[in-house]
Amino acid sequence: MAHEEIKKGENTQLYREVVHKIDGRLGPKYSMDATWCNMTDRKTEQRKEKLENELNAYRTNLIKESIRMGYNDLGDFYYAHGALGDAFKSYVRTRDYCTTSKHIIQMCLSAILVSIEMGQFTHVTSYISKAEQTPEALDSLTVSKLRCAAGLAHLAAKKYKLAACKFLEVGPELGNSYSEVISSQDVATYGGLCALASFDRTELKNKVIDNINLRNFLELVPKVRELINDFYSSQYASCLEYLGNLKSNLMLDIHLHHFETLYDQIRIKALIQYTHSSVSVDLRMMADAFKTSVAGLEKELETLITDNQIQARIDSHNKILYARHANQRNATFQRALQIGNEFDRDVRAMLLRANLLKHDYNLRASRKV
């Protein structure tokens, strides 16, 4: 499939890499097409020379709009042929020749597109900020594109809560208009998984389940919708089963190369929520709920207790987890002592002030002569 798709374009370097990886295992139909490569390379050189000549002519005539379009066309050319570094440089050079706010937005979106493909997410964040500095040229579709890009930048940095917030702000107008970067299904998947890994129950209810915008996206990915609902309903076995079924596909996603980390955080969040409201938990029942062994569950809980994420202790003999609740009696005494000390301090301060006033021992402001 990749072999056939690449031949529709002009990126011969990528074609050679794909053929090398296939290495003849799919038969002679997918072997190196040297004729196509040579013919495409010749056309590419001619096209590149033409664009460079046109740009040089525009620069000689000092027509800003023509120079901007020339650099933009050269950037499109490099991008189509996989020369991402050169494409980025060409797009950025258009900034000096932008005459309207819309031109700046176009330059920023082009730079963001190339930066995402290069994995340079610091550039992505930088050009999102530049685009947001021209709010008069931002329509709802452009805002949604910028939020998607910001979400991907946070996702790459494993800042899952920030990523979730950005994806949840994407409006339905996005549709398929940003398919070169992200699809509507991806918005639902990334937003949903990041929310599960980072939101508490209240946030999950208010920002995800009751979010009308996200609901439209989730309709496109029913499995993600179901696993979110199962998580909120405390159906953790079903939730993790859905996640396990999605795992093989998500591991291949170019933006979810750290899916294992995301999966672990979702599982940890589920374990914490399961034990949160209980005084004691039968580890055998909990192991059944999470489709794991009691021994494996104990190790997971030991790690969470050690990291102070769960306030509890484990009875390994009876296989029961007991929650550690604060000593309410001791806390009440401590609070009473604190209030008493504060009252004593305030009374002493008032008595001191009263005595100072009684004996007319106050500091008067000196008059300037």
Side-chain angles (χ1 to χ4, degrees), residues 61-106:
N61 296 328
L62 298 176
I63 304 172
K64 291 187 74 172
E65 176 60 12
S66 297
I67 297 172
R68 186 190 71 82
M69 292 180 65
Y71 274 121
N72 205 55
D73 290 342
L74 201 58
D76 291 342
F77 170 82
Y78 283 129
Y79 178 74
H81 291 84
L84 300 179
D86 292 329
F88 180 78
K89 291 176 185 175
S90 295
Y91 287 137
V92 171
R93 282 172 183 161
T94 65
R95 185 179 184 183
D96 296 331
Y97 304 96
C98 291
T99 54
T100 67
S101 298
K102 287 187 177 181
H103 292 165
I104 294 172
I105 296 296
Q106 183 184 1

Side-chain angles (χ1 to χ4, degrees), residues 188-197 201 204 208-209 218 221-247 250 259 262-263 266-267 270 273:
T189 302
Y190 300 159
L193 295 181
C194 289
L196 287 180
R201 285 182 63 80
L204 195 64
V208 180
I209 295 174
L218 286 173
V221 195
K223 288 185 178 180
V224 175
R225 181 193 63 206
E226 292 303 320
L227 74 87
I228 291 172
N229 289 330
D230 285 345
F231 188 94
Y232 183 75
S233 303
S234 301
Q235 303 293 326
Y236 300 116
S238 176
C239 169
L240 294 173
E241 184 179 353
Y242 274 119
L243 201 55
N245 293 336
L246 291 170
K247 186 175 182 179
L250 295 177
F259 176 75
L262 191 59
Y263 178 87
I266 293 172
R267 185 176 177 85
Q273 287 196 15

Side-chain angles (χ1 to χ4, degrees), residues 143-168:
V143 170
S144 289
K145 289 181 178 182
L146 293 176
R147 286 171 178 167
C148 286
L152 291 176
H154 290 311
L155 180 61
K158 300 183 183 179
K159 297 177 181 177
Y160 297 128
K161 188 159 191 172
L162 293 174
C165 291
K166 289 299 180 183
F167 288 125
L168 296 181

Side-chain angles (χ1 to χ4, degrees), residues 109-234:
L109 287 174
S110 297
I112 288 167
L113 170 64
V114 178
S115 297
I116 289 173
E117 291 214 21
M118 290 193 297
Q120 299 290 335
F121 288 98
T122 51
H123 290 327
V124 174
T125 305
S126 174
Y127 282 96
I128 289 172
S129 298
K130 285 183 174 65
E132 290 174 342
Q133 289 169 12
T134 54
E136 69 279 1
L138 293 175
D139 55 26
S140 58
L141 177 58
T142 304
V143 170
S144 289
K145 289 181 178 182
L146 293 176
R147 286 171 178 167
C148 286
L152 291 176
H154 290 311
L155 180 61
K158 300 183 183 179
K159 297 177 181 177
Y160 297 128
K161 188 159 191 172
L162 293 174
C165 291
K166 289 299 180 183
F167 288 125
L168 296 181
E169 292 172 356
V170 176
E173 63 276 355
L174 181 72
N176 295 319
S177 61
Y178 209 28
S179 56
E180 64 272 22
V181 172
I182 193 171
S183 67
S184 297
Q185 290 89 335
D186 291 334
V187 171
T189 302
Y190 300 159
L193 295 181
C194 289
L196 287 180
S198 57
F199 285 0
D200 57 31
R201 285 182 63 80
T202 304
E203 288 177 314
L204 195 64
K205 173 68 173 172
N206 296 336
K207 295 182 179 180
V208 180
I209 295 174
D210 293 342
N211 187 326
I212 297 175
N213 283 344
L214 186 67
R215 193 180 301 164
N216 295 328
F217 288 111
L218 286 173
E219 290 297 327
L220 303 173
V221 195
K223 288 185 178 180
V224 175
R225 181 193 63 206
E226 292 303 320
L227 74 87
I228 291 172
N229 289 330
D230 285 345
F231 188 94
Y232 183 75
S233 303
S234 301

